[in-house]
Every structure is written in C-alpha cells, then in structure tokens.
Amino acid sequence: MAGHTGEQHQRERQESAPRLMRSFLFLPAHNTKFIDKALESEADAIILDMEDAVPPARREEARGIVRQYSESGKLERKTVYIRINHLGTEDFVRDFSELILPGVDGLMPSKIETAEDLVFIDRLLEFFEIKNGLPAGSVRLAPLIETTAAIANICEIAKASPRLTALCLGGEDYLNDLGTIYVYQQTALAWPRAVLANAARMNGLLPIDTPYLNIPDVSGFEENEKLAYKNGFAGCLLINPRQIAPANRAFSPDEEQIDHAGRVIGAIQKAAGEGTSGVAMLNGTMVGPPMRKRAENVMVQAGLTAKRK
C-alpha cells in the first residue's frame, strides 16, 4: 500500500498477527447451536462460513444471525473471522455490505488468486470501516489459497496488504484445480504446503494447513498436523470440534521439545559466559545461534500455550 515500505509491512504484520492460531474452526454461519458451542470452546479462532456451508437460500438469514451476535457482544469471546463469498458474486457484495461489524476480527476471502484481489478487498474494507465506525485497519485478512494460480502468485499475495495475518491452504479445491482424481493425495500437496509456509513466514504471517477430512481418524489427524508443525505451519483449519484438542496439541511444543530448548539455550549461554564462543556442544552436537533462535521460539510458544490453559 502507498506510503509503506516492505520492511514496514513485515513489521506491522509481525506486531499485529495473533500469536496462536493452532485451531481455526469452520462453522456454518446460520447454525446458532454450533456457534454458541464454538464460542465457549478451546479453539483459538473460529470461522463463520458464509460460503460452502450455507445454502444460498439461507445466506441472508445467516447474515442476520451474525449481526445479532455482533450486537449482543457475544463475538468478543473469541477471535472471529468470516469466510465471505468470492469476488464477482452478488453474495460477495452483500457480505461486505452487512458483515463488517464490531466483534468481527477479520475476513477469510475465498478463491484468492492474485495480489490485486487482496488490494481490492483492502480498499473496500477502508470504506466500510469508516462507514460503520470501526478503527482503521482493524479488520484483518486470512485468505484461502486454493488454486494453482494462487500458489504461483503466493509471494506477491503475501505482500499485498498489512491487514494480512495468515495464509490458509484450501487443499481440496487446489487438488481439483490441479486435475488430480485421487482422494487424500498428500504427495500433491507437498509443494503447495512448502511454498505457502515459506511465503507466510517470510512476511511475518501464520501459515495455516488445509482441513483433514477424515473426522473419526483422530490419531491420523494429529500425526498429520504434527508433521505440518515440524514443517513450519502454525495451525490448521478444522471442520469438526473433535479436532480442536488434537490440533492444539499438535501445534504446541511438547515437554521433550521444551526441555531440549532449555538445554540448548543454557549450553550457549554457558559458552558465552566463559568467553569461548557463541557456539557450544550439547550431547555431542554443535549448537549455535540458529539453534538458539529456534529454541527461543519454542519457549515463547510454550509460554503462550500455558496462558491459554
């Protein structure tokens, strides 16, 4: 955006992005029973879905329900994003006209393909924030990256707006766009996962993994997301409340990781105190500044996780 350098963009994002978004739960915006339960759940954030989860004939009803929750103040209990309908549709216009409200922390635009898509949405948000009396820049963006074009343009998309907090992978739509016919084709998601995580972290954003659709397979879900955590992801999109607890575990450092991080930091501090060097040996392995940085990140995450309990 005009008047901002790339470094300023990155700093603003790092300062404003939520530090924990391990569990990002989708909910149909017209189902008040689900919304009430989600607002009291352990999910780090929820997504009121105005698109796929709501029949077109009930979308105006869903918008009315979101307005009621905003007016009641109930949305303040949780970080709340709204998945809006995609650009070029009448429902997109109605979503913007009616849902930029108090208690709505951000939007999840669907089918984002270029940086220009997000710049356009950013400009619309500037108008509706003024119109509805909201602080400038208060509505954040966590777009769904779900097409081959979006993956090709991911670096530009990640720089498109200082409102960005996260990049969210929509794996199933991506696989459709790619042309694969296989169910749970994990190998085809390896590259988009890697480039999305890299682009997000490079710009101070949170990379959020695609939903895991086999809801009864809790152990498989947790194993899959632990691997995503090791590969740089901060959290995942969820489609069922049963996935909240395993997601929060998968994207939090465990006791062994916390213990190892403490020993890495201690060994390097000891070496520095003795005036030898900035590196040290720990159980026969050399550890230095890069390992210390990762260890410090583990300790920060551990502290944030402890505050949520």
Side-chain angles (χ1 to χ4, degrees):
M1 294 176 62
H4 288 72
T5 67
E7 290 182 358
Q8 285 174 319
H9 273 184
Q10 186 171 357
R11 183 170 60 253
E12 288 172 2
R13 291 168 182 156
Q14 289 171 332
E15 290 172 351
S16 63
R19 301 299 299 274
L20 282 179
M21 202 177 280
R22 304 163 298 176
S23 45
F24 207 0
L25 178 64
F26 275 111
L27 300 159
H30 65 302
N31 191 315
T32 56
K33 179 180 177 181
F34 287 177
I35 296 172
D36 288 337
K37 288 183 177 180
L39 288 172
E40 302 300 328
S41 74
E42 295 300 316
D44 288 338
I46 64 173
I47 307 152
L48 301 180
D49 191 352
M50 290 297 309
E51 195 193 31
D52 289 349
V54 181
R58 299 192 67 181
R59 286 175 182 164
E60 195 56 41
E61 174 193 349
R63 294 184 191 102
I65 288 171
V66 174
R67 290 196 301 271
Q68 291 171 11
Y69 274 85
S70 170
E71 292 167 1
S72 70
K74 292 180 180 179
L75 297 184
E76 304 293 342
R77 301 175 189 172
K78 187 73 67 178
T79 298
V80 176
Y81 279 66
I82 297 178
R83 182 191 188 184
I84 57 174
N85 286 276
H86 58 277
L87 279 163
T89 65
E90 182 178 347
D91 279 315
F92 172 86
V93 176
R94 292 183 178 277
D95 289 345
F96 252 90
S97 299
E98 300 180 37
L99 298 179
I100 310 305
L101 301 166
V104 174
D105 295 282
L107 301 181
M108 177 175 282
S110 60
K111 301 296 190 296
I112 291 300
E113 295 199 339
T114 68
E116 287 73 21
D117 291 343
L118 286 177
V119 171
F120 176 72
I121 289 172
D122 185 298
R123 295 291 188 261
L124 281 179
L125 282 172
E126 288 181 0
F127 170 80
F128 280 102
E129 283 171 341
I130 294 171
K131 179 178 180 293
N132 297 336
L134 299 176
S138 60
V139 181
R140 302 302 182 178
L141 292 171
L144 274 168
I145 306 301
E146 48 191 339
T147 67
T148 52
I151 290 296
N153 297 322
I154 195 67
C155 290
E156 292 77 18
I157 288 172
K159 295 179 174 67
S161 168
R163 295 179 184 272
L164 284 164
T165 58
L167 298 178
C168 306
L169 180 60
E172 294 304 311
D173 281 302
Y174 172 82
L175 292 176
N176 288 341
D177 209 27
L178 186 65
T180 182
I181 62 173
Y182 297 99
V183 177
Y184 298 121
Q185 179 61 9
Q186 293 290 339
T187 57
L189 291 176
W191 184 68
R193 275 181 165 133
V195 296
L196 184 147
N198 189 76
R201 293 299 189 181
M202 182 172 66
N203 289 281
L205 309 178
L206 299 178
I208 306 298
D209 197 18
T210 189
Y212 190 87
L213 303 185
N214 189 349
I215 296 169
D217 184 17
V218 176
S219 61
F221 166 73
E222 190 162 355
E223 181 180 354
N224 187 74
E225 300 314 326
K226 283 181 178 178
L227 179 60
Y229 180 54
K230 290 178 181 178
N231 289 331
F233 279 83
C236 60
L237 300 171
L238 309 180
I239 57 173
N240 190 282
R242 292 170 59 183
Q243 298 174 322
I244 294 172
N248 287 345
R249 289 194 299 268
F251 291 98
S252 300
D254 58 29
E255 291 184 7
E256 182 179 347
Q257 291 166 329
I258 295 169
D259 178 67
H260 178 73
R263 287 187 285 114
V264 168
I265 294 170
I268 294 174
Q269 287 178 335
K270 181 179 178 182
E274 294 172 350
T276 54
S277 69
V279 299
M281 297 300 294
L282 180 63
N283 298 329
T285 300
M286 188 183 75
V287 293
M291 297 78 166
R292 177 172 182 165
K293 179 62 176 176
R294 291 200 295 272
E296 290 171 343
N297 287 339
V298 166
M299 301 306 279
V300 169
Q301 290 182 25
L304 290 168
T305 300
K307 290 179 182 179
R308 289 288 177 92
K309 293 180 178 179

